[in-house]
Amino acid sequence: MGHREDLLEGAKRCLLDKGFLRTTARDIVKESGTNLASIGYHYGSKDALLVQAYVSLIEGVGASFDPGAGGEVTEPPGSLERFQEVWANIIRSVPGSRAIWLLSFELIFQGDRLAEVRKLLAEAQEEGRSGLVSMFSGVPEAELDGETVDSEGRFYQTLLNGLMVQWLFDPDSATGADQLTEGLRRVLKAADRP
C-alpha cells in the first residue's frame, strides 16, 4: 500500500477507536506509519481524510445490507418480502457495525461544529440513498433517476436512521424486520381505502 491507502486505513482505525472529534492528525500519522505532510498532500485536510474514512466504513456496512451480497436474492425486488429480507440483513449487521453507527450519530450531533465535514457528508448522503433504493428495487444505481433517489431514497434513509437509533439505544425493544414489514403492509392497506 502507498501513503494514501495507509492514511485511509489508519484513519478508519482511529475513527473506530476515538471517534471523529477526538482523532488528531498525529493519531492518524501514528496509526498509519506515514507523516503529517502526507495528509495534506493526499486528502487536503485531516477532516477530508476522516470523512473519506467514514464514507468507506459506511460503504462496507452498506454492502452487507444487500441480500445478494452473501448469496442469492430470494425475494423479488419491490415486494414486501424483499423489504423484509433487506431489513433483516440490515438488523443482522448491527452488532458487527455498532461502532460505525455510533460514529454516525456523533457526526450528526456535532455537525454544527464541523461545517466543512457536514458539507462533505451531505454530498455523500445521496450516494447512500441510491444504494438503498437499488437494494429494495433491484434496479442498478446507474439506472435510477434523480426523482426516485430523492423520494424513495429519502424514505429508506429515514427508516434506516430511525431503526439504528432504536437498535443502538435498546436492542431488546427495537423494531424487527417483521414488525417493520407488517407496519408497512398496514399503512399500504389503509392507503387503499376510499
Side-chain angles (χ1 to χ4, degrees):
M1 275 197 288
H3 276 204
R4 183 174 178 79
E5 295 82 14
D6 291 340
L7 285 166
L8 187 63
E9 291 305 312
K12 286 188 215 178
R13 289 189 296 272
C14 288
L15 282 174
L16 293 174
D17 184 45
K18 294 183 149 206
F20 203 98
L21 292 175
R22 293 185 313 153
T23 296
T24 67
R26 293 192 187 286
D27 293 330
I28 297 167
V29 166
K30 181 179 176 185
E31 189 64 36
S32 66
T34 61
N35 58 63
L36 284 171
S38 292
I39 293 174
Y41 178 77
H42 291 290
Y43 292 94
S45 70
K46 175 198 77 152
D47 285 349
L49 167 57
L50 289 175
V51 166
Q52 190 61 46
Y54 169 75
V55 168
S56 181
L57 288 168
I58 287 293
E59 286 172 347
V61 170
S64 70
F65 294 173
D66 192 341
E72 289 299 310
V73 175
T74 61
E75 302 298 343
S79 68
L80 284 174
E81 293 78 18
R82 174 65 172 251
F83 182 87
Q84 184 169 349
E85 184 177 42
V86 172
W87 287 114
N89 284 337
I90 289 170
I91 291 167
R92 260 193 299 281
S93 76
V94 173
S97 59
R98 183 175 173 78
I100 296 168
W101 287 109
L102 289 170
L103 178 61
S104 297
F105 288 104
E106 175 192 352
L107 290 170
I108 290 168
F109 294 124
Q110 299 297 326
D112 291 343
R113 295 183 185 179
L114 305 165
E116 183 62 27
V117 170
R118 185 179 193 170
K119 180 179 175 258
L120 293 168
L121 290 173
E123 293 168 5
Q125 277 191 347
E126 188 159 339
E127 287 181 43
R129 287 185 204 120
S130 64
L132 286 167
V133 172
S134 182
M135 278 189 286
F136 287 99
S137 70
V139 176
E141 287 184 63
E143 295 176 22
L144 291 169
D145 63 88
E147 189 176 319
T148 300
V149 170
D150 196 49
S151 59
E152 292 177 34
R154 287 177 188 276
F155 172 75
Y156 292 128
Q157 200 169 51
T158 300
L159 287 176
L160 177 62
N161 289 336
L163 195 62
M164 286 307 109
V165 169
Q166 291 179 20
W167 278 90
L168 291 173
F169 181 71
D170 184 15
D172 294 332
S173 68
T175 302
D178 54 340
Q179 295 164 317
L180 195 59
T181 305
E182 181 59 24
L184 179 59
R185 183 177 282 116
R186 289 174 183 235
V187 167
L188 292 171
K189 184 177 179 183
D192 283 342
R193 292 184 189 148

